[in-house]
Amino acid sequence: MGKQRDVLPIVEKFYSLQGEGFHSGLAAFFIRLAGCDVHCPFCDVKEAWSDHFPLLPVEELVAEIVSNKAKHVIVTGGEPCMHNLDLLCQNLQSLQIATHLETSGTHSLSGSWNWICLSPKKNTQVKEEFYLKANEIKVVVETPEDFAFAEQHAKKVNINCLLYLQPEWEQRQKIEPLIVAYIMQHPQWKISLQIHKYLNIR
Ligand code: SF4
């Protein structure tokens, strides 16, 4: 599995709007990297678990991003931290393009980030550096038990980290009213809706 800096395995790449968390609504170029060993049952990108995707030179990727109007790049997966992201971030930031990471925090961090979204997953160990550096945590809520899980992680993040609860898409009708009620009682949290799904865009 790649720890190379100059090529990355790409599942898909596209220019769209960020649908989740603090930057909801922001135009961004998405890079979905291959490989994930977390295997969440609710994962909606299970095809990204495998690492059998074409390796693309970072230079080529950056050239494509520049040819769009994107000023923000969101690196997601899979689990993007299974790869060395130093060169990608270096090249993007040198062009004044902001780098955003979406991670479960289970692998070591590489790259330089303007924004880190930590999305802790059950039965995994989040590495300490992610609690220190996360700009937001986003906890997917499937059942009422997940509020306690969210609070466990909220206790560990830095004081500036924003806190988001996001309804699991398939359970949203049942769980959304519980999230609304929870946030009204615990106003340090906000809701994150997957607005790209409501808009029927990628
Ligand atoms: S960490 Fe992300 S990509 Fe990996 S299984 Fe969980 S939801 Fe899917």
Side-chain angles (χ1 to χ4, degrees):
M1 193 71 187
K3 278 287 179 187
Q4 302 173 80
R5 287 158 40 101
D6 52 349
V7 287
L8 292 167
I10 308 294
V11 178
E12 56 177 350
K13 48 190 171 50
F14 52 93
Y15 188 35
S16 185
L17 303 189
Q18 167 63 299
E20 304 179 1
F22 179 76
H23 289 291
S24 287
L26 182 77
F29 191 95
F30 286 77
I31 301 172
R32 185 177 307 288
L33 296 178
C36 183
D37 54 6
V38 179
H39 297 180
C40 308
F42 58 75
C43 180
D44 53 10
V45 285
K46 290 193 171 80
E47 70 280 6
W49 293 0
S50 152
D51 58 353
H52 296 126
F53 284 90
L55 291 169
L56 203 73
V58 165
E59 257 180 42
E60 211 176 292
L61 198 52
V62 172
E64 183 178 342
I65 293 162
V66 170
S67 74
N68 286 278
K69 291 190 172 176
K71 291 289 166 213
H72 299 261
V73 166
I74 298 176
V75 182
T76 186
E79 173 41 68
C81 294
M82 292 174 80
H83 307 284
N84 184 321
L85 302 169
D86 291 338
L87 186 65
L88 176 67
C89 290
Q90 200 177 304
N91 287 3
L92 291 171
Q93 288 181 331
S94 73
L95 296 165
Q96 272 69 54
I97 297 172
T99 55
H100 296 216
L101 174 68
E102 306 220 333
T103 177
S104 62
T106 51
H107 289 261
S108 298
L109 186 63
S110 60
S112 161
W113 301 98
N114 297 97
W115 192 265
I116 296 178
C117 172
L118 169 63
S119 188
K121 301 296 186 321
K122 306 251 180 63
N123 307 317
T124 65
Q125 191 72 33
V126 173
K127 289 188 177 286
E128 205 55 40
E129 60 183 333
F130 290 94
Y131 291 125
L132 296 174
K133 292 182 180 164
N135 299 96
E136 64 181 350
I137 59 165
K138 183 177 65 193
V139 178
V140 176
V141 181
E142 279 185 287
T143 68
E145 289 71 45
D146 293 338
F147 294 121
F149 175 76
E151 295 294 355
Q152 276 169 27
H153 291 283
K155 276 189 204 138
K156 297 181 182 171
V157 292
N158 66 82
I159 52 166
N160 296 316
C161 184
L162 304 174
L163 309 179
Y164 285 95
L165 298 170
Q166 180 170 293
E168 198 281 317
W169 183 252
E170 299 299 329
Q171 304 299 324
R172 65 190 183 282
Q173 287 186 340
K174 267 193 287 178
I175 207 73
E176 277 174 2
L178 302 187
I179 294 179
V180 170
Y182 189 85
I183 292 175
M184 289 168 74
Q185 291 304 315
H186 304 84
Q188 67 274 29
W189 290 94
K190 289 183 180 172
I191 195 164
S192 166
L193 299 173
Q194 294 181 294
I195 61 167
H196 55 295
K197 293 188 179 175
Y198 290 97
L199 292 172
N200 206 20
I201 57 174
R202 278 207 284 180

